Amino acid sequence: MNRPIGYWVKRLDAALETHLDSTLARLHLSRRQWQVLNTLSSGPITPVELADVLRPFSAANGGAAQERDMAALVRRELVFLLDGRLTLTNDGWALHTEASRIVDASRHELTEGIGVDEYAMAVSVLERMSKNAERLAPH
C-alpha cells in the first residue's frame, strides 16, 4: 500500500520518540528534556525563546508537558534562571556531553543505509513542505 508522507512523518516521529526515550532513560532523560539541554548548550536564552524553539516538539503534548520537563531539569539542578535567561549548570553541561555521545551513536544507527545526500535531500524536502504547510495554515 502506498502511504502518504504524513503517515511516514508521524510513524517516524513516534518511533524516534520511543527510541530516544529508551536510549536516554539510562541518564534519566526524556527526548524533550534532551532537546532542552541541547538547545541551552548553544547559550542562555529566555523561557519564551526556548518555548518557541521547542514548539514543534511539544505541540502534540501541550505546554504542560514542557513545563513538567523543565521543572524536572530545574529540580535536578541541570538548568537555572539567571538574569531572565535559562542556562545550563555545570552538572547540566556534563550531562549534555554524556547525552550527546549517546544521541550521536543513536543517530548513526538510525541513519544506517542512508547516504549523506539522501539524508540531506529528505531534510530539505521536509523543511520546504513544513514551511508551505505553515504558510497555508489559517492564522
Side-chain angles (χ1 to χ4, degrees), residues 9-82:
V9 168
K10 287 186 178 287
R11 184 170 166 180
L12 176 60
D13 183 60
L16 286 173
E17 187 92 22
T18 299
H19 175 71
L20 286 174
D21 276 344
S22 67
T23 299
L24 292 165
R26 66 185 103 158
L27 300 177
H28 307 288
L29 285 175
S30 68
R31 177 185 181 194
R32 287 188 314 272
Q33 290 170 336
W34 154 251
Q35 290 158 338
V36 170
L37 295 181
N38 197 47
T39 300
L40 295 179
S41 73
S42 296
I45 59 175
T46 68
V48 171
E49 291 167 332
L50 180 64
D52 286 344
V53 169
L54 299 179
R55 190 172 325 288
F57 298 104
S58 60
N61 302 314
Q66 187 174 350
E67 287 177 20
R68 281 191 306 275
D69 289 330
M70 181 56 70
L73 294 173
V74 170
R75 271 193 312 278
R76 289 178 64 186
E77 297 181 357
L78 301 171
V79 173
F80 71 103
L81 191 65
L82 178 66

Side-chain angles (χ1 to χ4, degrees), residues 105-121:
S106 177
R107 285 181 181 147
H108 181 73
E109 291 173 341
L110 289 167
T111 58
E112 188 175 321
I114 300 170
V116 173
D117 291 342
E118 288 177 294
Y119 183 85
M121 179 62 76

Side-chain angles (χ1 to χ4, degrees), residues 78-90:
L78 301 171
V79 173
F80 71 103
L81 191 65
L82 178 66
D83 296 329
R85 294 171 122 15
L86 293 163
T87 190
L88 295 175
T89 64
N90 288 338

Side-chain angles (χ1 to χ4, degrees), residues 24 27 34 38 95-105 107:
L24 292 165
L27 300 177
W34 154 251
N38 197 47
L95 186 58
H96 175 265
T97 299
E98 189 175 354
S100 289
R101 284 193 292 273
I102 292 171
V103 169
D104 288 345
R107 285 181 181 147

